[in-house]
Amino acid sequence: MAKTQTVLQTDSMTMRFGGVTAVFQLNLDIREHQIVALIGPNGAGKTTAFNMITGVYTPTEGDVIYTAPGKESVKITGKLPSDIAKMGIARTFQNIRLFKDLSVYENVMIAKHLHLKSNFLSAALHLPWYNKEQRAMAADVEKLLRSVDLWELRDEKASSLPYGKQRRLEIVRALATNPKILLLDEPAAGMNPKETEELTEFIRQIRDEYKLTIFMIEHHMDLVMEISDWIYVLDFGMLIAEGTPAEIQNNSRVIEAYLGVDEDAEG
């Protein structure tokens, strides 16, 4: 794997719930502009790891360290999710969390407001700088929706979209916050093979077009193996392997723990 700048690190990140250790001393090194996957059986601690990185949980022990391009590394351990999002780390969820009664356009515009500089009074009085900022945001939303082939659906209710389009909209809404790192929690969940294939190309497209680093949890192994630059494997909250897709596919411990395949089986 090419040595590029580290943008996200976890240092012995641990999460305990009472007497249960969900994640134990997890060390990750996510590098700029790469697509990195976190895989493992159900209950392995993958979403817990995402929740610690994005501020939903505060780690019991250890730290999360973020290095925005061109800036010094900072510990973001225990910061509020909204503050972490403003710093440039966005995420989606396993269960789609769109505003289902709002339009495609409105869902994305709401996300743009994360970086709104005007205050409530400016908005209420429609002061010039607020109007200018609104026009700029509207232009950004249009450009974003056009770039991902959702502009023609801008007035449709989010709930009326086909499942694959809803997934795409949720990712686009995260993109609207101008992230440097995008965390995707099982983006292919519930998708048919054609939708999964389209999603694979879409993830590549947004990584390249928006110069993103993408970190994803995914059970769909075809997608993971095709698209990932680097893969981490969790089992019972512990990191059991990391490497390229080829290395992970041939790792006997991963085969035993995650794929549930006899090590002597063919393939």
Side-chain angles (χ1 to χ4, degrees):
M1 186 174 65
K3 289 292 183 182
T4 53
Q5 179 184 322
T6 295
V7 291
L8 184 69
Q9 256 182 319
T10 65
D11 180 12
S12 299
M13 188 173 70
T14 298
M15 190 73 221
R16 295 189 176 92
F17 299 101
V20 176
T21 301
V23 174
F24 183 66
Q25 294 189 351
L26 180 59
N27 294 305
L28 303 172
D29 185 352
I30 313 295
R31 293 180 177 272
E32 191 174 20
H33 298 157
Q34 291 191 328
I35 298 175
V36 179
L38 181 64
I39 67 172
N42 287 329
K46 304 181 297 296
T47 296
T48 299
F50 262 34
N51 285 340
M52 286 188 281
I53 290 168
T54 56
V56 177
Y57 298 151
T58 298
T60 310
E61 299 166 14
D63 282 304
V64 183
I65 301 156
Y66 172 53
T67 310
K71 296 190 178 180
E72 295 292 318
S73 298
V74 293
K75 290 182 181 179
I76 60 171
T77 318
K79 286 187 178 292
L80 292 172
S82 56
D83 291 336
I84 290 173
K86 286 176 182 177
M87 294 173 78
I89 301 175
R91 74 172 291 180
T92 65
F93 293 86
Q94 184 176 348
N95 300 314
I96 295 174
R97 297 188 181 183
L98 295 171
F99 298 106
K100 294 187 181 296
D101 290 329
L102 297 183
S103 70
V104 167
Y105 184 91
E106 289 166 335
N107 266 274
V108 180
M109 180 57 88
I110 284 171
K112 289 298 295 182
H113 280 78
L114 178 72
H115 295 291
L116 184 70
K117 295 181 174 63
S118 302
N119 58 29
F120 175 77
L121 184 61
S122 301
L125 298 176
H126 287 277
L127 295 178
W129 51 87
Y130 169 77
N131 292 332
K132 182 180 179 181
E133 195 170 12
Q134 282 292 108
R135 287 193 298 272
M137 287 196 299
D140 285 347
V141 171
E142 179 176 349
K143 181 181 177 183
L144 184 56
L145 289 174
R146 286 188 184 279
S147 76
V148 298
D149 297 324
L150 285 175
W151 179 247
E152 299 302 319
L153 298 172
R154 62 189 179 279
D155 295 325
E156 298 290 328
K157 270 190 179 183
S159 58
S160 72
L161 297 181
Y163 184 80
K165 295 286 189 186
Q166 288 191 35
R167 280 280 177 197
R168 182 174 292 218
L169 175 58
E170 188 181 34
I171 294 172
V172 172
R173 189 176 62 179
L175 283 179
T177 66
N178 300 322
K180 301 301 180 186
I181 306 175
L182 180 59
L183 279 66
L184 304 176
D185 192 347
E186 297 202 32
M191 287 190 175
N192 61 41
K194 185 176 186 300
E195 289 171 333
T196 302
E197 187 178 330
E198 291 172 351
L199 176 70
T200 302
E201 291 309 310
F202 180 60
I203 291 172
R204 282 201 186 102
Q205 175 198 338
I206 61 173
R207 188 271 303 268
D208 295 341
E209 189 170 338
Y210 294 96
K211 297 180 171 55
L212 293 171
T213 301
I214 293 176
F215 185 33
M216 66 179 180
I217 296 169
E218 187 51 69
H219 281 294
H220 198 297
M221 286 299 102
D222 288 345
L223 187 156
V224 168
M225 295 302 169
E226 181 176 345
I227 204 172
S228 302
D229 296 302
W230 199 254
I231 301 171
Y232 290 96
V233 188
L234 280 183
D235 192 27
F236 295 107
M238 297 185 68
L239 188 66
I240 62 167
E242 64 173 286
T244 64
E247 289 168 342
I248 295 302
Q249 280 179 312
N250 293 296
N251 185 300
S252 59
R253 194 171 176 191
V254 175
I255 293 168
E256 182 181 3
Y258 182 71
L259 301 177
V261 178
D262 190 292
E263 291 184 33
D264 296 324
E266 293 184 3

